[in-house]
Amino acid sequence: MNDTNISVVDSKTLLALFGPRDQYLRKIRSAFGVVIAVRDDQIHIEGNPEAVAKATTAIEQLKSLVQRQGEIGPHDVSKILAAITGQPALVEHAPIEKLNVGKTVRPRTPGQAAYVQAILDHDLVFCVGPAGTGKTYLAVAMAVSALRQERIRKIVLVRPAVEAGESLGFLPGDLQAKINPYLRPLLDALREMMDYEQVKRLTDGDIIEMIPLAYMRGRTLNDAFIILDEAQNTTVAQMKMFLTRMGQNSKIVVSGDTTQVDLPPHTRSGLIDALARLRGIEGFCEIHLQKSDIVRHRLVQQIVEAYEADDNQPVQRKRK
């Protein structure tokens, strides 16, 4: 057996290092099979020499991270432990914080876990996948979490209003009445995260904004989490316009399904175009979710498969 001690600067650092209800401490103990205790402002680690050395390295790295950024999250702990143990990071079980109490969002598949990790690690994330894979829901959950942790000051939820040709002036009602039908899926996801009064207070205060894509022109958004939903229905020009709205300390998540493009014939999808253009750019990440990532009703996956099978059938032409 071997043991070592690590000095702790203050109780605030210790609390951040061990995590809520000591969940990070338990992860470190489990990863290396060591005993960890706090004695006289020191972290005491005991176990076999190799395990103690690895656990010490992990705690020192996490301690440095806490001192640099003030806090750490489950993804930070998973990444450091994975690097030291040589095992893949188990991020699929990491919960996503929410503004309301009592309900927690977690990635439910490896693909969703990779999506969440990509949002944590990159400022520009494109997620492509079929209906029901959680593309929008998880992005909204991550935005709400970032707002709660004060890593951003604003959430902007955007959708192209293709069905109205982006010309909303001919629709009845005021602006909110005109755009509500197109933004309803984003609002539904948001209300899963917060109660009605929270949503109303934050939207009235312009902290959460839900707008059609056409209304993004000319803006620069700093300290914002910006989500573009149904991105397959943007044109190349619209996508360029949207992506260049990104300001300092902002994050953009773009989601869509390249099999459900509703643009006019011979119009290239801005999502498909951007995926080809942006590969290789630092800070950009591309995630593809599959049928196995569908988490809606069990029939949704079978419905997607049925339509895919039909799309793959050769077209039968009638003989004259």
Side-chain angles (χ1 to χ4, degrees):
M1 298 289 286
N2 195 10
D3 65 348
T4 190
N5 294 301
I6 300 173
S7 297
V8 181
V9 177
D10 53 44
S11 59
K12 184 178 179 182
T13 299
L14 188 66
L15 288 171
L17 187 61
F18 284 178
R21 297 179 296 279
D22 290 343
Q23 60 176 289
Y24 306 157
L25 172 62
R26 291 194 295 272
K27 276 189 175 185
I28 298 168
R29 284 173 175 163
S30 176
F32 303 109
V34 294
V35 176
I36 303 177
V38 178
R39 301 173 186 167
D40 302 323
D41 296 328
Q42 290 189 325
I43 300 173
H44 182 77
I45 309 170
E46 185 176 331
N48 71 61
E50 183 181 359
V52 168
K54 289 182 176 180
T56 301
T57 299
I59 290 175
E60 290 284 10
Q61 290 183 12
L62 290 168
K63 178 183 168 185
S64 297
L65 199 59
V66 169
Q67 291 170 344
R68 287 200 308 271
Q69 61 189 36
E71 62 179 16
I72 56 175
H75 58 286
D76 298 312
V77 180
S78 294
K79 284 175 67 176
I80 287 175
L81 294 182
I84 294 172
T85 62
Q87 300 295 320
L90 299 176
V91 297
E92 60 268 24
H93 300 299
I96 302 170
E97 283 191 88
K98 301 171 66 174
L99 283 180
N100 64 342
V101 178
K103 188 177 179 183
T104 301
V105 175
R106 293 175 182 267
R108 293 170 57 183
T109 70
Q112 289 189 345
Y115 180 31
V116 168
Q117 191 66 52
I119 294 173
L120 290 168
D121 294 341
H122 299 83
D123 289 334
L124 178 59
V125 176
F126 276 55
C127 183
V128 178
T133 50
K135 302 184 299 294
T136 304
Y137 188 81
L138 288 173
V140 172
M142 294 295 287
V144 170
S145 176
L147 184 66
R148 181 183 183 188
Q149 295 174 22
E150 298 183 351
R151 290 186 279 116
I152 56 162
R153 293 188 294 107
K154 185 180 184 69
I155 296 174
V156 183
L157 308 175
V158 185
R159 263 191 146 208
V162 171
E163 296 87 345
E166 288 285 358
S167 299
L168 300 172
F170 295 102
L171 297 177
D174 59 14
L175 175 63
Q176 198 60 43
K178 294 173 192 288
I179 66 178
N180 266 347
Y182 306 101
L183 302 176
R184 174 61 59 181
L186 293 170
L187 183 60
D188 289 344
L190 194 60
R191 286 182 177 167
E192 288 271 330
M193 317 293 157
M194 297 180 284
D195 60 39
Y196 175 81
E197 290 302 324
Q198 285 177 312
V199 174
K200 188 175 188 306
R201 183 174 68 254
L202 293 173
T203 51
D204 287 348
D206 209 30
I207 294 171
I208 295 178
E209 190 175 358
M210 291 174 283
I211 58 173
L213 178 60
Y215 289 76
M216 289 286 287
R217 190 173 299 279
R219 303 182 63 183
T220 300
L221 296 168
N222 297 314
D223 302 304
F225 196 121
I226 312 154
I227 299 171
L228 174 60
D229 192 35
E230 297 292 339
Q232 74 276 5
N233 289 328
T234 63
T235 65
V236 173
Q238 286 173 333
M239 179 62 78
K240 179 184 176 183
M241 178 273 292
F242 171 78
L243 293 176
T244 52
R245 303 307 94 199
M246 189 178 194
Q248 295 295 322
N249 191 39
S250 287
K251 189 181 292 283
I252 285 180
V253 177
V254 176
S255 66
D257 181 355
T258 53
T259 68
Q260 295 188 9
V261 178
D262 297 320
L263 294 169
H266 311 299
T267 302
R268 182 166 174 77
S269 166
L271 174 60
I272 295 171
D273 178 81
L275 286 170
R277 288 178 187 269
L278 300 180
R279 289 188 182 117
I281 292 179
E282 185 177 356
F284 167 77
C285 184
E286 176 184 341
I287 297 292
H288 288 263
L289 299 179
Q290 311 299 329
K291 293 190 295 291
S292 58
D293 296 304
I294 292 175
V295 293
R296 286 183 185 166
H297 192 284
R298 62 174 183 81
L299 284 174
V300 173
Q301 184 169 341
Q302 297 176 42
I303 291 168
V304 170
E305 290 172 348
Y307 275 90
E308 284 184 350
D310 185 62
D311 290 342
N312 291 331
Q313 293 294 322
V315 178
Q316 299 293 326
R317 298 184 182 275
K318 292 182 180 181
R319 292 183 178 179
K320 292 183 179 180

